[in-house]
Amino acid sequence: MLVLLPPSEGKAASGRGAPLKTGSLSLPGLTAAREAVLGELVGLCAGDEEKAREVLGLSEGLRGEVAKNAELLTAGARPAGEIYTGVLYDALDLASLDAAAKRRAARSLLVFSGLWGAVRVTDRIPSYRCSMGVKLPGVGALGTHWRAPMAEVLPETAGSGLVLDLRSAAYAAAWKPKGEVASRTATVRVLHAPTRKVVSHFNKATKGRIVRSLLASGTSPEGPAELVDALRALGYVVEAEAPAKAGKPWSLDVLVDEVH
């Protein structure tokens, strides 16, 4: 099983250890594309602060993020699973999983990123600020920049099992499973049961809880249909819609009344 996650806007501080080594990150086929974005981002943020803030879409209150980006090559790195914070990652709570579940997380979780393309939760990265919607002067729109390298790398990374796609729209645009991979992909939408509307907090927290439940239980569904059965067995209310055409992903709605 491969689980595709969005990053978080908020991030923990960089570590105090050794700085980033791009060649040590997972998915080495993305290294050249990563280094292109990293070089552009550091150069931008080491120059005109106001221009950098405008390009990155940062408010006055986030001015400090520009200086942080300028130091990405020398900042300490720590596991991505510790860098990403926010509602989804708080609900996932990787740190409190038992050893077996942490090993499953290391194998199956892939976090998409405007800067890194995609990283595993064990990859050591510094804290940064660069969303997929950014358009950098040298490499252009990041969503477009990542499509070709992702198309080369991700099908092999997906292996032969279930792909559980929990990404937001901006990050989903960087790689869309096609053909046989798409047929074993499931996308998930979380709906507030009384209103049947998507509510951001319900959506993010429930997705984190779903991933945690799967990791903690040791469940490894082989495909979307098996995922539906697994989630129902774990206590989730799931409505599933198989694709009308071959080579398309399944769509799952998870209904929740409230999130504690």
Side-chain angles (χ1 to χ4, degrees):
M1 177 174 67
L2 182 68
V3 182
L4 312 181
L5 296 173
S8 58
E9 273 195 17
K11 298 174 183 70
S14 296
R16 295 183 178 180
L20 167 76
K21 294 182 179 179
T22 55
S24 70
L25 298 177
S26 302
L27 283 62
L30 299 178
T31 299
R34 286 169 176 152
E35 291 178 346
V37 178
L38 180 61
E40 280 290 326
L41 182 61
V42 170
L44 171 70
C45 293
D48 186 329
E49 184 179 86
E50 291 305 317
K51 179 182 178 181
R53 203 158 60 83
E54 179 181 355
V55 170
L56 297 175
L58 300 177
S59 66
E60 175 66 31
L62 294 173
R63 182 179 292 274
E65 300 293 296
V66 174
K68 182 168 71 174
N69 283 346
E71 298 175 352
L72 285 173
L73 296 176
T74 57
R78 60 195 292 193
E82 298 176 11
I83 289 289
Y84 294 113
T85 59
V87 175
L88 187 155
Y89 291 91
D90 285 348
L92 173 54
D93 195 8
L94 286 169
S96 69
L97 290 171
D98 64 31
K102 286 179 179 177
R103 289 193 293 271
R104 288 190 284 272
R107 293 193 302 267
S108 62
L109 303 188
L110 200 62
V111 184
F112 275 62
S113 162
L115 175 52
W116 315 115
V119 292
R120 296 195 183 277
V121 293
T122 50
D123 284 330
R124 297 181 65 84
I125 59 173
S127 185
Y128 67 97
R129 188 77 175 220
C130 184
S131 71
M132 190 65 80
V134 165
K135 185 176 181 179
L136 291 174
V139 299
L142 293 181
T144 302
H145 172 78
W146 285 113
R147 283 176 196 158
M150 290 283 196
E152 290 287 331
V153 172
L154 266 294
E156 181 179 355
T157 305
S160 59
L162 168 71
V163 177
L164 175 54
D165 191 351
L166 303 178
R167 297 172 296 167
S168 53
Y171 292 91
W175 180 63
K176 296 183 179 180
K178 296 181 180 179
E180 187 272 335
V181 178
S183 68
R184 48 187 167 84
T185 296
T187 62
V188 172
R189 184 174 62 163
V190 179
L191 301 181
H192 184 215
T195 63
R196 300 193 71 83
K197 293 181 179 179
V198 176
V199 180
S200 179
H201 181 81
F202 286 103
N203 182 53
K204 293 176 181 178
T206 303
K207 286 180 177 178
R209 289 173 183 268
I210 285 171
V211 177
R212 182 180 177 85
S213 296
L214 291 170
L215 294 173
S217 68
T219 303
S220 185
E222 295 182 0
E226 293 79 8
L227 173 64
V228 173
D229 292 339
L231 291 179
R232 287 173 176 165
L234 289 167
Y236 293 94
V237 178
V238 182
E239 295 178 353
E241 182 180 343
K245 297 181 180 180
K248 299 291 183 181
W250 282 54
S251 298
L252 275 58
D253 284 344
V254 176
L255 306 181
V256 296
D257 290 317
E258 57 183 341
V259 176
H260 300 287

